[in-house]
Amino acid sequence: MRHNPAPRRSIAALAAAGVAGAFGLTAAAFSTTANAAGAPAALAYHVGSAGSDMVEPWFTVTNTGSGPLDLSTVKIRYYFTIDSSPSYQFSCEWAQMGCGNVTGTIGTLASPTATADHYLEVGFTGGSLAPGASTGDLQLRMNAAGWAPVDQADDYSFNASQTSYGPTSTITLAVNGSVVSGTAPGGNPPTSPSSSPSTSPSTSPSSGGGGTPSGVLFDDFSYSGPSDPNLGAHGWAIRTGAGGPGVQNSWTADTFSFPADSTAQGGHVMDLTASTDGTTSGTKQAEIDTTHQKFFEGTYAARVYFNDAPTTGANGDHVNETFYTITPDNSLYSEDDFEYLPNGGWGGPANSMYTTSWYSADAMDRVTNDTIGSLQGWHTLVATVYGGTVTYYIDGKQVFSSTGKYYPREAMTIDFNEWFIDLPFTGARTWNEKVNWVYYAKGVAQSPADVQSTVNGYYQGGTHFTDSVPNS
């Protein structure tokens, strides 16, 4: 991405407390005194948005017992009233433990009240917390279908004044079917099974979209070097200008090479080299972009080699290795990111792959998922932008999707970069990110398997580059 990201929301407070539990999460950093004495778990709540276009309840769950807490037995219920639309969608915007481990279901209360006729039930796919450990931030969202207006003021569980984490009496926390904190609206058993969900999680795969693309781009980066005239002729520009992100004004062309690589499909790669000695003047960052802003709905894919450690020098940098699409920061701003942070950054954990869909860079308005785990080596990244849904895949596995306003609004460029979030120590070191190939299919949502089959066909046919995507 070109802009400077603000700190990931509410992570920094969690990062300093140490590591515990099956997810490697931090010990509790919040007051939960409203929870029942001797309870096995405690809930903390933080209002994310008090606006009229979405509901954002943020939570943490802490193991307050003496033994491991099985998260599959934990349920949170947030109670609210349906407003202008009978259908609501759930999304996990960001979770320290990874959104793939969090579930959300919207159900109807058997006995409605003036302040609650529905509930959001949040659960977990599994895992456990050690005594004293916390899930960390669970930044969740609901929105009405079509982003219809919502009125949170009359919602039972909403508390506009709770802008930092703390206890709550209007949201229930249950363990093994028994409520351990909070009180449900009158007449509603808070531990009964979810009833007739009004919507499924928004992370379900996008459907349809197959067929013949109306244009394709494929490039395996068969160039002699950064000054190869074919690089520009094929619509690429290496960034040498000023600005961020990361270390300002440090973009140079000599950060690129196109060497042979026996581990790559076809035997060669584009290599992005970011280097630093810990000073601003001694830092070089790498970025390459398409010169035409012509990519909108369709399938985006690249095979990328990520590194968990520098090629030379000491480890520890908060380096960002990326594949993304972006537009200028204007009224129709659009951006979809794959960002791998091997040593973390913005207060987040190491080995984080952020998949993020942006609505506004100025307002830092985006939804994101953190897939935690080492991605050392080659990986195939696919994003489909089709039918109002952006869906992200890593090595064929869907990891995140976004809908509603978090969907591109205008054509974008395709970009790769490698950059330093900060310079935490001195001493020379070099980081490398490699790109094997990039592919785009206009107007269709292709599966990762279909993408790979198409790319294989290009290699078998000896095609190094093709571009039939119109420039406007």
Side-chain angles (χ1 to χ4, degrees), residues 47-56 81 83-85 88 141-155 158 405:
V47 63
S49 171
S52 62
D53 63 345
M54 68 179 77
V55 180
E56 283 190 318
T81 55
D83 294 310
S84 55
S85 171
Y88 275 52
R141 186 194 75 216
M142 292 184 291
N143 64 273
W147 292 91
V150 297
D151 178 11
Q152 299 190 72
D154 62 352
D155 290 349
F158 176 70
K405 71 176 186 177

Side-chain angles (χ1 to χ4, degrees), residues 276-299:
T276 186
D277 61 5
T279 69
T280 298
S281 61
T283 298
K284 295 181 179 182
Q285 301 183 136
E287 179 173 313
I288 189 169
D289 321 281
T290 57
T291 54
H292 292 290
Q293 184 183 322
K294 63 179 183 177
F295 305 97
F296 185 40
E297 292 188 309
T299 300

Side-chain angles (χ1 to χ4, degrees), residues 232-316:
H234 289 171
W236 295 102
I238 294 174
R239 185 179 179 189
T240 58
V247 182
Q248 298 287 305
N249 311 328
S250 59
W251 309 96
T252 65
D254 61 0
T255 54
F256 281 83
S257 60
F258 300 86
D261 189 321
S262 61
T263 68
Q265 188 172 3
H268 62 267
V269 299
M270 176 173 66
D271 191 301
L272 289 73
T273 302
S275 63
T276 186
D277 61 5
T279 69
T280 298
S281 61
T283 298
K284 295 181 179 182
Q285 301 183 136
E287 179 173 313
I288 189 169
D289 321 281
T290 57
T291 54
H292 292 290
Q293 184 183 322
K294 63 179 183 177
F295 305 97
F296 185 40
E297 292 188 309
T299 300
Y300 300 79
R303 186 168 186 248
V304 180
Y305 191 100
F306 297 115
N307 275 301
D308 286 348
T311 308
T312 62
N315 200 356

Side-chain angles (χ1 to χ4, degrees), residues 54-55 78 80 88-90 106 120 140-144:
M54 68 179 77
V55 180
Y78 180 94
F80 65 101
Y88 275 52
Q89 297 173 321
F90 165 78
I106 297 170
L120 167 65
L140 311 179
R141 186 194 75 216
M142 292 184 291
N143 64 273

Side-chain angles (χ1 to χ4, degrees), residues 47-368:
V47 63
S49 171
S52 62
D53 63 345
M54 68 179 77
V55 180
E56 283 190 318
W58 297 358
F59 304 119
T60 68
V61 176
T62 301
N63 181 357
T64 54
S66 58
L69 176 65
D70 181 356
L71 285 174
S72 68
T73 69
V74 175
K75 300 293 184 185
I76 304 166
R77 283 199 178 179
Y78 180 94
Y79 303 91
F80 65 101
T81 55
I82 288 286
D83 294 310
S84 55
S85 171
S87 178
Y88 275 52
Q89 297 173 321
F90 165 78
S91 292
C92 174
E93 293 184 314
W94 191 85
Q96 186 175 352
M97 66 191 301
C99 279
N101 298 303
V102 182
T103 64
T105 302
I106 297 170
T108 304
L109 286 176
S111 302
T113 71
T115 57
D117 50 30
H118 284 71
Y119 60 85
L120 167 65
E121 182 174 276
V122 179
F124 304 90
T125 60
S128 66
L129 294 178
S134 167
T135 59
D137 239 7
L138 306 173
Q139 298 182 6
L140 311 179
R141 186 194 75 216
M142 292 184 291
N143 64 273
W147 292 91
V150 297
D151 178 11
Q152 299 190 72
D154 62 352
D155 290 349
Y156 178 82
S157 296
F158 176 70
N159 184 349
S161 66
Q162 196 149 334
T163 55
S164 60
Y165 278 109
T168 174
S169 62
T170 59
I171 303 169
T172 57
L173 176 69
V175 179
N176 284 317
S178 297
V179 173
V180 299
S181 69
T183 303
N188 291 284
T191 58
S192 60
S194 302
S195 58
S196 302
S198 59
T199 183
S200 58
S202 66
T203 53
S204 59
S206 54
S207 60
T212 303
S214 56
V216 296
L217 166 70
F218 172 75
D219 200 339
D220 72 354
F221 299 104
S222 295
Y223 303 108
S224 61
S227 60
D228 188 330
N230 285 326
L231 192 64
H234 289 171
W236 295 102
I238 294 174
R239 185 179 179 189
T240 58
V247 182
Q248 298 287 305
N249 311 328
S250 59
W251 309 96
T252 65
D254 61 0
T255 54
F256 281 83
S257 60
F258 300 86
D261 189 321
S262 61
T263 68
Q265 188 172 3
H268 62 267
V269 299
M270 176 173 66
D271 191 301
L272 289 73
T273 302
S275 63
T276 186
D277 61 5
T279 69
T280 298
S281 61
T283 298
K284 295 181 179 182
Q285 301 183 136
E287 179 173 313
I288 189 169
D289 321 281
T290 57
T291 54
H292 292 290
Q293 184 183 322
K294 63 179 183 177
F295 305 97
F296 185 40
E297 292 188 309
T299 300
Y300 300 79
R303 186 168 186 248
V304 180
Y305 191 100
F306 297 115
N307 275 301
D308 286 348
T311 308
T312 62
N315 200 356
D317 282 306
H318 301 130
V319 68
N320 197 331
E321 307 172 31
T322 77
F323 165 48
Y324 64 104
T325 60
I326 196 170
T327 71
D329 195 359
N330 57 26
S331 61
L332 296 178
Y333 181 79
S334 303
E335 181 180 347
D336 298 326
D337 297 338
F338 288 94
E339 295 181 286
Y340 183 56
L341 281 64
N343 289 321
W346 304 303
N351 301 133
S352 291
M353 169 62 89
Y354 293 107
T355 44
T356 307
S357 300
W358 288 81
Y359 179 75
S360 169
D362 288 339
M364 299 303 297
D365 188 355
R366 80 280 193 217
V367 289
T368 189

Side-chain angles (χ1 to χ4, degrees), residues 442-453:
K442 180 179 172 64
V444 295
Q446 295 181 333
S447 70
D450 287 341
V451 168
Q452 188 61 62
S453 178

